[in-house]
Amino acid sequence: MLVYAEHQEGRLARPAWEAVAAAQQLATELGLTCAGAILGDNIGALAGELAGAHLAEVLTVESPQLAQYTPDGYSLALRQVIEARQPRFVIFSHTYQARDFAPKLAASLDRALVGDSLGYRLEGGRTIFIRQVFQGKFSADVEFRGEPPYFVSFQAGAFREDSVHRGSGRAKVTPIEVNLSPQGIRTRPQEKFREARQAVDLSQAEIIVAVGRGIRKPENLELARKLADVLGAEIGASRPICDNGWLSMDRQIGSSGQTVAPRLYIALGISGAIQHQVGMKGSRTVVAINKDREAPIFDIASYGIAGDLFEVVPPLIEEIKKAKSK
Amino acid sequence: MKIVICLKQVPSRDTFLKVNAASTWIEEADVTYEVNEPDVYALEEGLRLREKLGGEVIVCTLGPARAGQAIKEALAKGADRALHLDDAAFANLDAHGTARALAAAIRRENPDLVLAGLQSDDFGFAQTGVIVAEMLDLAHATIVMEIQAERDHLKVKRELEGGWLQWIEMPLPAVLTIQSGINKPRYATLKGIMAAKNKPLQKLSAQDLGLDPEALKPRQVMTRVYVPEKIAQTEFIEGSPGEIAARLVDKLKNEARVI
Ligand SMILES: Cc1cc2nc3c(=O)[nH]c(=O)nc-3n(C[C@H](O)[C@H](O)[C@H](O)COP(=O)(O)OP(=O)(O)OC[C@H]3O[C@@H](n4cnc5c(N)ncnc54)[C@H](O)[C@@H]3O)c2cc1C
């Protein structure tokens, strides 16, 4: 088993440890040893930190050409690690970086990546991975065919960072020499940045009324605004609402928007795709109103209303007014 | 600039989906279909680049006969011509097989730029564009939110986690996967719909593309599709809308104490 430890801003962040936790657990159950791999420039300290986890070995590739992430550089480098060690499985966290290069790496070896897995199951010698299809509406059991290595990425939160096995000693750190030609790296990344400071800060909001595509038309936002008004709430939204320009981008909640943790989160016509959930699952109480009883938002809602928001929200506004006037 | 758009047809969001009796896929009988949303944005981006730089936009779709509707829509919006990869050998491909077939078709066109949606709403592989890039030996960037194109190179803005962004420079030809929200997709006009009828549409089989069935063999197979077991303790509130509202407010006030 080989686990890829992604570092972000010079740190081994949560995705790295979640991937280690997943790989350790799977390795133990399959009776395999587990090594870590880390790529970059000046990564001695990070490798040392990774070596504190219970791993057979930590493999490092250091090169100035890997100082910045590029899909070409990282897949070329990790491919050579894989060719040197021939693991049966290669494990990633399903981060934006892994999405960008893991499929390329797997394809370059003529292999598959089972992406964005929620977990796995062992069944009579078979290793079955579970992933979402139809934006989380259904799950699918997936199995590899053909020869290893098998590439797997796990969704954020599928494994817990704090379940990483710490080693009693330190794993050996082994540098791997790779061949990276500058011509092989075709993209040139520039500095990361954020767009101009956001005007709306939802991270401090106590109550959020969030609207999703179920609201259907921009005119219908008025209904959500009325509900927000009686509650003294901020308005938030899922991505499609902001993509359509119905609300400004800074009201988007989710992996590419804001992370919020209000006392009360009311989701109106939001399906609850994983990218939305990661932005709001820290909310204390979640109310979901959705026509579709199978919608994934009901996996995390405290109170669920399987119904039409246009029927439920108007009486809800009246009831809240009543409750407040008492 | 010669631009290929990978465009896929998926079950529309408003369709009620049910798992089929064999638990292998969804019940396809009453499903309506639409163009995969990020692909709609990819097409729009391609049309805009052509309007600015000249050239040609070619839609490339792998799917059964019904996917012809998605192709028609793309042609009506302004794509110049289409490739429809339709063959029994293309049923049940995994991301690798789909990418292999697409790459074979795209290679023959030798385009300057290939655009795909960043993932599909049905399988959600989020891999096809990236694998196509690898198979064509082209540079790529994913989750693209803006494109500045010159004749021989590109500058693209990528979305990263937590609201971070990054500009990437790259040579052409290249493959980009497009994130929704990059632009405002146009609607087809009546004139466009009429014009689409006369645009070239080429059907391609595995044999036309010189694809050996061995190469298309899935490397990952979906053995079962099912409704996930609910783990949450969601308390469903039932009744008429009025009753629901009253019960919910009572719970929010007296149980959760959040209002
Ligand atoms: C890299 C990446 C980053 C992303 N980042 C984000 C992000 O930051 N935030 C985000 O939200 N998404 C993000 N997404 C998109 C995400 O995957 C989903 O597509 C999106 O969250 C879906 O939004 P939705 O729930 O509003 O729409 P849908 O999924 O279309 O859901 C609409 C829901 O409304 C319900 N509905 C319809 N009519 C009614 C009615 N009358 N009453 C009640 N219910 C009704 C339907 O049953 C359905 O469940 C990202 C995707 C990717 C790939």
Side-chain angles (χ1 to χ4, degrees):
Chain A
M1 186 89 44
L2 184 71
V3 54
Y4 173 71
E6 174 176 337
H7 47 97
Q8 299 171 343
E9 314 307 319
R11 293 183 45 234
L12 287 177
R14 199 174 68 184
W17 296 116
E18 288 184 356
V20 170
Q24 285 177 331
Q25 193 183 316
L26 187 57
T28 307
E29 290 190 48
L30 291 174
L32 302 171
T33 58
C34 182
I38 180 163
L39 315 178
D41 195 22
N42 292 319
I43 47 169
L46 293 176
E49 199 187 331
L50 186 61
H54 180 66
L55 292 168
E57 199 177 10
V58 169
L59 307 169
T60 59
V61 184
E62 290 218 48
S63 159
Q65 306 213 56
L66 301 174
Q68 278 216 28
Y69 163 77
T70 58
D72 286 338
Y74 273 50
S75 40
L76 280 172
L78 193 53
R79 191 168 102 198
Q80 293 174 63
V81 175
I82 291 166
E83 282 166 344
R85 285 301 194 271
Q86 311 213 340
R88 197 168 168 79
F89 288 93
V90 185
I91 307 292
F92 300 85
S93 250
H94 188 74
T95 60
Y96 277 44
Q97 189 190 95
R99 291 173 65 110
D100 196 54
F101 89 101
K104 172 183 169 70
L105 167 66
S108 78
L109 291 162
D110 203 18
R111 296 293 186 272
L113 164 72
V114 171
D116 208 2
S117 303
L118 291 169
Y120 68 88
R121 211 169 66 233
L122 301 183
E123 225 174 77
R126 289 149 63 199
T127 311
I128 299 166
F129 295 91
I130 301 148
R131 58 184 305 276
Q132 296 184 326
V133 289
F134 294 99
Q135 304 229 353
K137 241 188 190 150
F138 303 129
S139 290
D141 286 351
V142 183
E143 293 174 58
F144 285 99
R145 291 281 186 269
E147 293 300 305
Y150 305 129
F151 294 80
V152 183
S153 75
F154 286 105
Q155 204 171 77
F159 289 83
R160 293 172 55 102
E161 177 180 14
D162 58 15
S163 67
V164 168
H165 269 281
R166 301 274 145 202
S168 41
R170 303 222 130 241
K172 189 170 128 220
V173 176
T174 314
I176 304 272
E177 287 300 322
V178 304
N179 197 350
L180 289 174
S181 75
Q183 303 89 286
I185 300 176
R186 294 165 291 192
T187 59
R188 265 181 298 131
Q190 299 178 4
E191 286 304 307
K192 296 176 185 170
F193 65 98
R194 296 186 112 140
E195 307 267 66
R197 190 66 220 134
Q198 310 197 312
V200 190
D201 180 10
L202 298 180
S203 65
Q204 302 305 319
E206 292 272 316
I207 304 183
I208 293 175
V209 171
V211 287
R213 209 190 309 248
I215 202 81
R216 278 212 210 102
K217 287 192 281 198
E219 299 85 89
N220 294 337
L221 284 173
E222 204 38 47
L223 185 64
R225 283 211 183 86
K226 278 195 192 133
L227 177 60
D229 281 347
V230 293
L231 285 166
E234 284 283 359
I235 293 271
S238 67
R239 182 171 189 125
I241 301 300
C242 302
D243 283 346
N244 287 339
W246 298 353
L247 285 172
S248 62
M249 289 301 283
D250 49 13
R251 295 202 179 266
Q252 181 178 314
I253 292 163
S255 64
S256 47
Q258 298 205 41
T259 302
V260 299
R263 207 148 41 91
L264 173 61
Y265 190 88
I266 304 186
L268 304 177
I270 292 179
S271 63
I274 180 72
Q275 296 89 358
H276 187 79
Q277 281 194 22
V278 298
M280 48 67 74
K281 66 179 178 203
S283 308
R284 200 161 100 209
T285 300
V286 174
V287 174
I289 306 181
N290 196 306
K291 280 211 294 210
D292 178 5
R293 213 189 165 91
E294 309 287 354
I297 191 77
F298 290 129
D299 292 349
I300 55 161
S302 339
Y303 301 107
I305 294 156
D308 187 336
L309 76 93
F310 297 105
E311 288 172 13
V312 177
V313 174
L316 185 58
I317 293 170
E318 293 314 312
E319 286 294 334
I320 293 167
K321 273 192 200 154
K322 260 200 268 172
K324 293 243 164 178
S325 66
K326 271 190 200 144
Chain B
M1 185 172 276
K2 187 168 176 179
I3 305 169
V4 171
I5 315 286
C6 300
L7 184 123
K8 178 185 189 181
Q9 192 191 45
V10 296
S12 71
R13 287 166 182 277
D14 299 331
T15 324
F16 177 72
L17 297 176
K18 237 175 68 190
V19 174
N20 67 12
S23 287
T24 49
W25 189 233
I26 53 163
E27 191 60 70
E28 288 196 326
D30 297 318
V31 172
T32 59
Y33 290 87
E34 65 188 13
V35 179
N36 181 49
E37 185 175 47
D39 305 356
V40 175
Y41 288 95
L43 171 64
E44 178 63 34
E45 209 53 30
L47 295 173
R48 289 182 188 198
L49 287 170
R50 183 197 61 192
E51 280 153 15
K52 222 161 93 191
L53 302 166
E56 190 186 19
V57 170
I58 305 153
V59 176
C60 185
T61 296
L62 182 147
R66 60 167 158 73
Q69 181 54 36
I71 293 172
K72 256 190 229 156
E73 275 175 48
L75 292 173
K77 284 185 176 186
D80 298 287
R81 59 191 171 89
L83 311 173
H84 187 173
L85 283 56
D86 179 7
D87 189 325
F90 297 150
N92 302 317
L93 296 181
D94 65 356
H96 194 98
T98 306
R100 193 170 285 278
L102 291 173
I106 295 167
R107 189 177 290 119
R108 293 157 34 126
E109 295 288 346
N110 199 19
D112 302 296
L113 185 61
V114 179
L115 304 180
L118 85 169
Q119 70 184 52
S120 62
D121 280 351
D122 51 1
F123 289 99
F125 281 133
Q127 307 187 15
T128 307
V130 178
I131 303 175
V132 165
E134 173 61 25
M135 288 174 173
L136 296 174
D137 194 18
L138 300 178
H140 82 264
T142 53
I143 322 190
V144 168
M145 287 298 286
E146 194 177 330
I147 303 174
Q148 294 175 3
E150 306 287 335
R151 298 243 155 246
D152 62 344
H153 73 278
L154 290 174
K155 231 178 111 176
V156 303
K157 188 163 86 183
R158 281 194 73 210
E159 181 180 296
L160 305 171
E161 276 108 340
W164 288 89
L165 299 158
Q166 186 175 36
W167 284 99
I168 314 264
E169 284 182 41
M170 58 205 302
L172 284 172
V175 180
L176 305 176
T177 77
I178 304 298
Q179 169 68 301
S180 60
I182 185 174
N183 52 40
K184 262 198 181 319
R186 71 193 64 188
Y187 292 99
T189 59
L190 192 58
K191 203 170 132 212
I193 294 168
M194 299 309 292
K197 297 200 168 91
N198 301 318
K199 289 183 175 173
L201 191 162
Q202 192 179 6
K203 291 240 187 200
L204 294 165
S205 67
Q207 200 186 356
D208 296 334
L209 294 171
L211 287 164
D212 173 3
E214 257 320 278
L216 296 176
K217 268 208 336 223
R219 285 149 178 79
Q220 57 177 303
V221 291
M222 235 174 5
T223 46
R224 196 165 72 94
V225 175
Y226 49 99
V227 176
E229 229 171 86
K230 302 279 172 201
I231 23 148
Q233 324 279 324
T234 299
E235 183 179 339
F236 280 94
I237 302 175
E238 325 266 347
S240 69
E243 287 162 2
I244 289 173
R247 276 181 208 152
L248 177 62
V249 170
D250 177 56
K251 286 182 184 296
L252 293 179
K253 207 171 157 175
N254 301 315
E255 204 175 272
R257 298 175 186 280
V258 286
I259 59 170

